[in-house]
């Protein structure tokens, strides 16, 4: 019996130990379950908070965009009435939240729109901020052109140009011209006379009057890129509609070179060299002709109520010339001149004029200048000359004759510093530029003649110029920035 009693006591002791272990395990498991439950609840709360913040952030961006579109609507309304203010601010709301907007005018370059959208309270609220440039449309969407002609282009005598050239008709580059860019003669021939240089590519879409070549590269002249002699809109890319191959020959005089490939429907003639592959009797389609950029003379020009001289209209050339004399030749602002009888005898004469700020001249008369300066003008100014002059039938523009029928004739040291970006535009007649002129900008017209040491560098500042394009303004930049 004693032995059995000892076993019972031992069993009781063992069961007591097991019970204690179970209790400890239960306590530990309970603690773990509690911790996990608390963690799950905390995680869920964080997830809900994060989800709310993410949703508020997305909505804040939508609200900010609503502020931008409201600003654009207000700017368009100002454009319709041709009355602008230098800056304005406003606030508004949507069903999602509130926005605050600041708009700053950049003169004729457009507007900066700064819009901040806010959604939610102080703890879960989110702000998103958008900065937008609302500017005139691009003159040539997606590209920069130094010269654009709806007909032909002729350069002569040691001109230096930087930027691409486009002509719907022919391009003739005469003696010693150095052109750092590409050339397109969309529907006609290209000729580079002796000792000339084209740094980029050359593309022609037709042939000369004699039908003997499409591209002619003179002695010791250089085309740095490829050259292509194509056919205007061939219906059959295999036969090129039966076009005569000889019309599309590429003539290369001794010492001339084409750095890249040569592709032509015709033959390659002469002793020049080609750095790339040569593809003869190859039919390619010429580029389609392009229209002149559209100009709306009174769209987007600013009538600034704080400066009554910012926009002036003149009923005749004589009235403008009288005003110019009274200004001692200093010009700025938007100047609109309507001449009842436009002719070379009734033309705007800017000879000796001096730019003192952004200047736009819009006229139906010819424009002539024999030297122009920019003393005192601020950096990054623009000088825009628009002539809608149409010459009498059977007359022509001659770069060598001051009174010939050019829409714009810039002569002798037309030399605004490159602080000023220049745009010369003539939609009904040619532009002639002659003698030691230097400018940064673009010439756009129905025919271009440039002669004698002209230096022209394409300038991106004229790419967006008020008054040009199918609309007044467009979004040029859309960027989110820190609130």
């Amino acid at each position: 019996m004693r032995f059995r009693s000892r076993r019972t006591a031992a069993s009781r002791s063992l069961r007591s130990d097991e019970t204690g272990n179970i209790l400890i395990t239960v306590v530990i498991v309970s603690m773990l379950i509690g911790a996990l439950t608390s963690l799950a609840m905390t995680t869920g709360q964080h997830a809900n908070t994060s989800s709310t913040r993410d949703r508020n952030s997305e909505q804040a961006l939508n609200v900010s965009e609503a502020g931008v579109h409201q600003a654009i609507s207000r700017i368009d309304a100002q454009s319709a009435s041709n009355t602008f203010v230098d800056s304005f601010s406003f606030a508004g709301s949507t069903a999602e939240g509130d926005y605050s907007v600041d708009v700053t005018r950049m003169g004729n370059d457009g507007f900066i729109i700064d819009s901040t959208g806010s959604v939610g309270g102080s703890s879960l609220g989110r702000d998103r901020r958008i900065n937008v440039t609302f500017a005139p449309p691009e003159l040539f969407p997606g590209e920069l052109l130094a010269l654009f002609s709806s007909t032909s282009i002729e350069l002569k005598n040691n001109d230096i140009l930087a930027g691409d050239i486009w002509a719907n008709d022919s391009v003739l580059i005469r003696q010693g011209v150095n052109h750092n860019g590409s050339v397109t003669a969309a529907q006609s021939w290209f000729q580079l006379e002796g000792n000339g240089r084209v740094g980029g590519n050359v593309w022609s879409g037709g042939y000369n009057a004699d039908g003997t070549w499409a591209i002619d590269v003179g002695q010791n002249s250089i085309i740095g890129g490829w050259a292509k002699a194509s056919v205007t809109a061939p219906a059959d890319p295999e036969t090129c509609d039966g076009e005569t191959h000889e019309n599309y020959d590429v003539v290369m005089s001794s010492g001339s070179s084409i750095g890249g490939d040569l592709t032509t429907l015709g033959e390659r003639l002469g002793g020049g060299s080609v750095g790339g592959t040569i593809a003869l009797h190859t039919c390619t389609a010429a580029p389609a002709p392009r229209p002149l950029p559209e100009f709306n003379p009174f769209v987007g020009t600013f009538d600034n109520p704080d400066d009554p001289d910012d926009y002036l209209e003149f009923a005749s050339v004589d009235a403008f010339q009288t005003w110019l004399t009274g200004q001692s030749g200093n010009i700025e602002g938007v100047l609109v001149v309507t001449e009842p009888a436009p002719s070379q005898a009734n033309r705007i004469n800017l000879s000796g004029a001096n730019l003192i700020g952004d200047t736009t001249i819009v006229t139906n008369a010819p424009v002539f200048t024999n030297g122009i300066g920019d003393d005192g003008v601020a950096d990054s100014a623009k000088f825009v000359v628009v002539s809608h002059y149409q010459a009498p039938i059977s007359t022509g523009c001659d770069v060598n004759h001051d009174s010939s029928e050019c829409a714009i004739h810039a002569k002798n040291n037309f030399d605004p510093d490159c602080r000023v970006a220049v745009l010369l535009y003539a939609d009904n007649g040619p532009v002639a530029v002659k003698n030691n002129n230097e400018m940064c900008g673009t010439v756009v017209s129905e025919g271009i003649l440039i002669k004698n040491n002209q230096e022209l560098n394409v300038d991106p500042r004229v790419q967006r110029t008020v008054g040009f394009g199918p609309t007044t303004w467009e979004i040029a930049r859309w960027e989110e920035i820190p609130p």
Side-chain angles (χ1 to χ4, degrees):
M1 294 296 295
R2 292 177 181 174
F3 176 76
R4 291 180 62 187
S5 296
R6 286 198 296 270
R7 289 188 59 188
T8 301
S11 298
R12 290 174 179 169
S13 176
L14 180 60
R15 285 197 297 271
S16 177
D17 290 342
E18 289 175 349
T19 302
N21 290 337
I22 291 171
L23 288 174
I24 292 172
T25 301
V26 169
V27 170
I28 292 173
V29 170
S30 298
M31 291 176 64
L32 289 173
I33 291 173
L36 290 173
T37 302
S38 177
L39 178 62
M41 293 178 63
T42 302
T43 302
Q45 290 175 351
H46 281 302
N48 289 336
T49 300
S50 178
S51 177
T52 300
R53 287 174 175 167
D54 289 344
R55 183 173 62 253
N56 287 349
S57 179
E58 183 177 349
Q59 290 177 341
L61 182 61
N62 295 337
V63 173
S64 180
E65 290 175 351
V68 170
H69 291 299
Q70 180 62 227
I72 289 174
S73 177
R74 296 190 181 203
I75 292 170
D76 286 341
Q78 292 180 11
S79 295
S81 63
N82 200 35
T83 302
F84 295 86
V85 294
D86 285 339
S87 63
F88 60 94
S89 301
F90 62 93
S93 62
T94 70
E96 297 174 312
D98 302 323
Y99 56 76
S100 60
V101 182
D102 295 316
V103 180
T104 303
R105 199 187 94 180
M106 304 182 295
N108 287 2
D109 290 327
F111 302 84
I112 297 293
I113 301 170
D114 196 306
S115 176
T116 300
S118 301
V119 172
S122 58
S123 60
L124 300 179
R126 284 292 181 264
D127 295 338
R128 299 285 289 273
R129 182 181 176 191
I130 296 174
N131 192 267
V132 174
T133 300
F134 199 46
E138 289 185 298
L139 192 63
F140 301 104
E143 63 180 324
L144 291 173
L145 294 177
L147 304 176
F148 177 93
S149 172
S150 60
T151 58
S152 61
I153 294 174
E154 181 177 344
L155 312 177
K156 186 176 182 180
N157 294 355
N158 304 312
D159 295 328
I160 300 174
L161 289 95
D164 292 344
I165 292 174
W166 179 290
N168 284 338
D169 206 281
S170 61
V171 175
L172 171 58
I173 299 181
R174 292 190 178 274
Q175 301 91 337
V177 173
N178 186 351
H179 170 227
N180 185 19
S182 294
V183 177
T184 301
Q187 304 287 287
S188 194
W189 50 266
F190 168 80
Q191 184 175 19
L192 177 62
E193 291 188 352
N195 301 302
R197 176 183 176 274
V198 172
N201 306 317
V202 169
W203 194 0
S204 71
Y207 50 85
N208 70 336
D210 297 332
T212 54
W213 49 262
I215 295 176
D216 183 4
V217 188
Q219 187 173 14
N220 299 321
S221 288
I222 298 171
I223 295 175
W226 52 257
K228 185 187 297 185
S230 298
V231 176
T232 300
D236 187 339
E238 295 295 328
T239 66
C240 244
D241 300 344
E243 286 281 337
T244 302
H245 288 197
E246 289 79 7
N247 293 343
Y248 295 90
D249 288 343
V250 174
V251 178
M252 300 184 67
S253 298
S254 62
S256 66
S257 65
I258 295 173
D261 299 337
L262 170 61
T263 305
T264 177
L265 183 63
E267 299 281 352
R268 172 196 166 217
L269 306 176
S273 64
V274 177
T277 60
I278 299 175
L280 306 178
H281 304 161
T282 301
C283 181
T284 57
R290 297 165 57 173
L292 280 163
E294 183 179 352
F295 179 76
N296 300 304
F298 299 105
V299 171
T301 51
F302 301 140
D303 186 5
N304 185 353
D306 297 327
D307 184 359
D309 294 329
D310 188 59
Y311 183 98
L312 297 174
E313 295 188 61
F314 302 89
S316 67
V317 167
D318 282 345
F320 170 79
Q321 296 296 153
T322 299
W323 172 86
L324 184 61
T325 300
Q327 296 291 114
S328 300
N330 294 322
I331 54 175
E332 68 175 331
V334 179
L335 310 171
V336 179
V337 183
T338 304
E339 168 55 46
S343 70
Q344 295 300 324
N346 289 318
R347 67 184 182 186
I348 291 176
N349 191 338
L350 297 177
S351 297
N354 182 60
L355 304 172
I356 59 174
D358 285 332
T359 303
T360 299
I361 296 175
V362 181
T363 183
N364 66 330
V367 178
F368 177 82
T369 178
N370 189 11
I372 194 166
D374 60 357
D375 293 339
V377 73
D379 289 348
S380 300
K382 283 185 182 180
F383 181 43
V384 180
V385 178
V386 175
S387 173
H388 297 297
Y389 178 68
Q390 188 166 14
I393 297 174
S394 300
T395 61
C397 173
D398 186 340
V399 71
N400 295 312
H401 292 88
D402 295 351
S403 59
S404 65
E405 292 293 347
C406 308
I408 300 175
H409 198 145
K411 180 182 178 183
N412 294 349
N413 305 309
F414 179 84
D415 193 18
D417 189 277
C418 275
R419 292 175 301 163
V420 178
V422 178
L423 174 58
L424 303 180
Y425 176 92
D427 52 354
N428 295 317
V431 171
V433 184
K434 181 182 178 183
N435 293 352
N436 305 313
N437 296 313
E438 297 181 13
M439 59 178 276
C440 290
T442 297
V443 179
V444 179
S445 72
E446 188 187 61
I448 297 174
L449 303 165
I450 298 179
K451 181 180 179 181
N452 294 352
N453 305 305
Q454 163 72 21
E455 184 172 347
L456 170 62
N457 297 295
V458 66
D459 195 312
R461 288 176 291 172
V462 301
Q463 177 75 334
R464 294 186 182 273
T465 298
V466 69
F468 288 89
T471 61
T472 308
W473 314 101
E474 67 179 17
I475 294 172
R477 183 184 60 87
W478 182 292
E479 179 183 10
E480 183 174 2
I481 61 177

